[in-house]
Amino acid sequence: MIGDLFASPLALLLLPLPLVALLLLPPAAGEEGGAMLVPETIAARLAAGIGARVAGRSRLGLAGLLWIALVLALAGPQRLEPSPALPVSGRDLVLVLDLSGSMDRKDFEIDGTPARRLDAVKKVAAAFVRGRTGDRIGLVIFAERAFFAAPPTFDTESVARTIEAATIGIAGRSTAIGEGLGLGLKRLAKSPAPSRVVILLSDGANNAGTVGPRDVAVLARDLGIRVHTIALGANELGMVGDDPDAVDAATLRRVAELSGGTAFRVRSTGDLEAVSATLDAMEANRGRAAAAQVFHSYWVYPAVAALLLALALAASDAGLLTRSALAQTFGRRKRRRPSARQPAGDGERGPDPAVKSESGRPERHREAA
């Protein structure tokens, strides 16, 4: 059907519009003095006659093709093509990442080189997200404040790039674990997905915000949202001296237990990679969505053709002006050369036709004595 070939098939009704205008509209009234007058010479007739016929036909053809291309672009040609089935899991997953000041500590390694905690997390988390094809993934970043850096989306590559671009300080320097976890739950609470998961990663203790992590964990349990926690860092709160950067692993473990999730303890980049693989295996629920047919639009091709035809029409007009100028140049009459009978210049007088000799011929003036 024509509706499957064009997005706006009614636009095709504009195709005969130039012919209708040519038949119904009166001819344009000429204006006196508007035509270019060229002397009737052989060169002028050849240049003007042949040039007018060729230019007129070419301009008419170009204008017609230009109109057809414009109408086709406006109609929006399209084709129905099958789309391959995409993997789908039916899961919404939100990463909640700690960007507090302690993430700047260099106690991890990447390829044998000392690295910040943040750099190790960015490397592993970005790779984890890129492997979650079929999940709808969002990203929450928190420190003293929490905000959604990426809303849940199937575009895992964009979420991975957002993780790689994260920097310390954009959300403050303190650690508000309850605020970050609560923001992730708020988005997932309205999700219709059958499986909703939060992965919370922190390397410190909750020392900011107005809500505690355990209270938020009870809310996650009531909402049916699992929370997996990752405690990052070498030292744990209460087990080593007064380390301001020690992680509160006990609280994170309790959050995971209350919500039905799993708690992980990470002290190195290798541990972090192992946790990523474990989570990927735990939350694996791959399926295939039903194949679909989608329309692919091709309006850009007639649009480009219309542009090229417009440029050709402009070049044709420029050529017509050039031929007209040549015809005018060839049609100029030759200038007359001055003759011997032409009146002389200042200080001299030519022969007086009124003075004649006896033979009837003009008599030359004699010089005065």
Side-chain angles (χ1 to χ4, degrees):
M1 296 177 63
I2 193 171
D4 295 335
L5 298 178
F6 296 96
S8 303
L10 292 179
L12 298 176
L13 297 177
L14 297 175
L15 281 175
L17 185 60
L19 296 177
V20 174
L22 184 63
L23 294 175
L24 299 182
L25 295 180
E31 297 181 359
E32 294 184 1
M36 180 182 293
L37 299 179
V38 180
E40 294 292 334
T41 63
I42 296 177
R45 286 197 295 270
L46 287 176
I50 297 176
R53 286 194 296 272
V54 174
R57 291 176 182 175
S58 63
R59 289 189 78 258
L60 183 60
L62 288 175
L65 292 176
L66 173 59
W67 177 255
I68 293 174
L70 286 175
V71 172
L72 288 178
L74 184 62
Q78 61 184 6
R79 186 171 64 179
L80 188 63
E81 297 178 355
S83 176
L86 298 176
V88 62
S89 66
R91 178 188 301 104
D92 280 0
L93 189 150
V94 173
L95 257 64
V96 181
L97 298 184
D98 187 348
L99 282 187
S100 58
S102 56
M103 291 290 288
D104 202 30
R105 174 177 283 193
K106 274 191 175 182
D107 55 357
F108 276 65
E109 288 186 357
I110 298 179
D111 299 329
T113 303
R116 299 181 304 166
R117 295 175 178 179
L118 177 62
D119 295 331
V121 169
K122 287 181 0 179
K123 176 186 175 183
V124 176
F128 173 78
V129 168
R130 286 190 172 98
R132 305 302 300 179
T133 304
D135 288 349
R136 221 162 58 112
I137 297 186
L139 175 64
V140 171
I141 289 175
F142 75 93
E144 185 177 350
R145 299 174 302 276
F147 63 90
F148 251 103
T153 176
F154 289 106
D155 188 1
T156 55
E157 179 61 29
S158 67
V159 178
R161 289 198 299 266
T162 303
I163 293 174
E164 293 170 341
T167 57
I168 295 174
I170 60 176
R173 307 287 296 187
S174 303
T175 307
I177 298 176
E179 299 288 339
L181 181 57
L183 185 58
L185 295 181
K186 182 177 180 181
R187 181 60 65 96
L188 291 179
K190 298 180 180 179
S191 171
S195 178
R196 296 170 295 173
V197 179
V198 171
I199 298 177
L200 169 64
L201 185 147
S202 177
D203 71 334
N206 188 75
N207 54 22
T210 58
V211 60
R214 300 191 183 192
D215 296 333
V216 182
V218 173
L219 177 61
R221 181 191 60 191
D222 296 339
L223 293 173
I225 300 175
R226 292 191 308 279
V227 179
H228 302 305
T229 62
I230 301 174
L232 187 72
N235 299 329
E236 293 187 20
L237 188 66
M239 297 183 65
V240 181
D242 295 332
D243 185 359
D245 294 334
V247 61
D248 189 357
T251 297
L252 294 179
R253 189 181 307 109
R254 184 57 179 161
V255 168
E257 293 173 354
L258 288 173
S259 63
T262 304
F264 298 93
R265 187 70 177 89
V266 171
R267 293 179 175 85
S268 65
T269 306
D271 293 343
L272 193 59
E273 292 172 347
V275 168
S276 175
T278 302
L279 285 173
D280 192 58
M282 287 174 55
E283 296 296 338
N285 185 20
R286 305 300 183 191
R288 304 294 293 184
Q293 288 186 325
V294 296
F295 282 103
H296 291 268
S297 180
Y298 297 97
W299 66 269
V300 66
Y301 298 105
V304 171
L307 175 61
L308 296 178
L309 289 169
L311 294 176
L313 190 59
S316 176
D317 290 341
L320 180 61
L321 293 176
T322 303
R323 286 192 292 270
S324 299
L326 291 174
Q328 185 179 17
T329 302
F330 287 135
R332 291 175 181 169
R333 293 183 180 143
K334 295 181 180 181
R335 295 181 179 178
R336 298 176 61 186
R337 296 179 180 178
S339 62
R341 296 175 179 269
Q342 187 174 359
D346 296 340
E348 297 182 359
R349 295 180 61 188
D352 190 353
V355 181
K356 298 182 180 180
S357 63
E358 295 179 355
S359 62
R361 295 179 179 178
E363 186 178 21
R364 297 178 180 272
H365 288 276
R366 297 176 181 177
E367 294 181 359

